[in-house]
Amino acid sequence: NAGVTQTPKFQVLKTGQSMTLQCAQDMNHNSMYWYRQDPGMGLRLIYYSASEGTTDKGEVPNGYNVSRLNKREFSLRLESAAPSQTSVYFCASSEEGTSGRAFTDTQYFGPGTRLTVL
Amino acid sequence: QQQVKQSPQSLIVQKGGIPIINCAYENTAFDYFPWYQQFPGKGPALLIAIRPDVSEKKEGRFTISFNKSAKQFSLHIMDSQPGDSATYFCAASRTGNQFYFGTGTSLTVIP
């Protein structure tokens, strides 16, 4: 049981390049989340998916897109990377029962992807 | 605008000391207040959480004190150990809605 896994662990991009951050969970959780962590800013929610087939914007969605590929996988895409997107990105998942609502159960975080945009 | 304000930014205590980390919020609709612990190179992990119907919650050496009228809550670590050295984040949410995190406190426990 690996929990939440993220790839890659590190990435360096040039301004304007695109990339996709991958996240997978093996806990059969319904909800998944993407956060970014910046010094002095704490964690901020980018996008979330309450259940397979749905995605919603969080606090800081500009410049990002997401895909809930299936129940296990939730990817984050940067179409045209900017230096302001230099950050550590965390994926998380939570069980959520039959409510269909996110944010009601404990969130389990992956180890993070450290992204630098030059 | 920071929804949750956390202090101090960093804290150094001797082994056995009781570090206290404070958080304050403005939104009275918040009804869930978790604390997360993060070790270097790892993702945050839920440590302990409280709802506003109680003023204190203890789990092992970790205690949350909650003051609803002051809109403040704090984390106390009893008999702190070097293994407690980590970054601690408070958060707040209204049930079923996104979490708002504090800016984090880096705790160092000196042997």
Side-chain angles (χ1 to χ4, degrees):
Chain A
N1 190 335
V4 179
T5 56
Q6 294 182 236
T7 55
K9 293 188 187 303
F10 301 95
Q11 184 71 47
V12 179
L13 293 177
K14 295 181 179 178
T15 297
Q17 288 185 316
S18 62
M19 79 160 295
T20 300
L21 280 65
Q22 306 287 353
C23 173
Q25 51 91 9
D26 62 2
M27 297 176 282
N28 200 36
H29 285 174
N30 287 307
S31 297
M32 298 185 74
Y33 314 82
W34 276 105
Y35 291 90
R36 59 178 290 173
Q37 184 176 46
D38 302 293
M41 299 290 288
L43 286 149
R44 291 181 293 169
L45 182 67
I46 304 171
Y47 271 94
Y48 68 99
S49 170
S51 60
E52 186 179 356
T54 69
T55 60
D56 284 287
K57 295 178 180 180
E59 191 178 355
V60 288
N62 291 345
Y64 305 95
N65 285 299
V66 291
S67 295
R68 183 76 183 265
L69 304 170
N70 47 56
K71 191 171 184 179
R72 291 187 62 250
E73 299 172 287
F74 189 38
S75 63
L76 178 72
R77 182 160 178 84
L78 287 70
E79 290 291 352
S80 179
S84 61
Q85 294 177 304
T86 293
S87 187
V88 181
Y89 291 86
F90 288 100
C91 176
S93 70
S94 59
E95 184 173 7
E96 317 304 347
T98 56
S99 69
R101 298 179 70 184
F103 306 108
T104 54
D105 283 333
T106 300
Q107 293 180 36
Y108 295 86
F109 286 80
T113 294
R114 186 174 294 273
L115 175 67
T116 301
V117 183
L118 303 175
Chain B
Q1 181 184 355
Q2 195 72 26
Q3 295 271 353
V4 178
K5 295 182 180 179
Q6 183 173 346
S7 63
Q9 186 175 352
S10 62
L11 195 51
I12 301 173
V13 298
Q14 296 278 352
K15 177 183 173 181
I18 305 176
I20 300 173
I21 305 170
N22 300 298
C23 286
Y25 64 98
E26 287 297 324
N27 189 340
T28 55
F30 289 154
D31 61 1
Y32 180 64
F33 303 90
W35 284 90
Y36 285 80
Q37 181 187 55
Q38 183 179 27
F39 293 105
K42 304 292 186 182
L46 179 65
L47 186 63
I48 185 174
I50 196 168
R51 292 195 179 272
D53 52 341
V54 296
S55 60
E56 186 176 276
K57 184 174 182 179
K58 292 184 181 180
E59 286 187 6
R61 295 183 294 106
F62 300 91
T63 298
I64 300 178
S65 297
F66 185 81
N67 186 329
K68 188 174 182 178
S69 61
K71 292 183 286 186
Q72 295 176 350
F73 57 110
S74 59
L75 177 70
H76 302 234
I77 305 175
M78 306 302 178
D79 186 28
S80 58
Q81 302 296 313
D84 297 329
S85 297
T87 299
Y88 292 82
F89 292 93
C90 62
S93 75
R94 184 165 61 92
T95 299
N97 292 273
Q98 76 166 80
F99 289 18
Y100 293 94
F101 287 82
T103 51
T105 296
S106 176
L107 172 66
T108 302
V109 181
I110 300 171

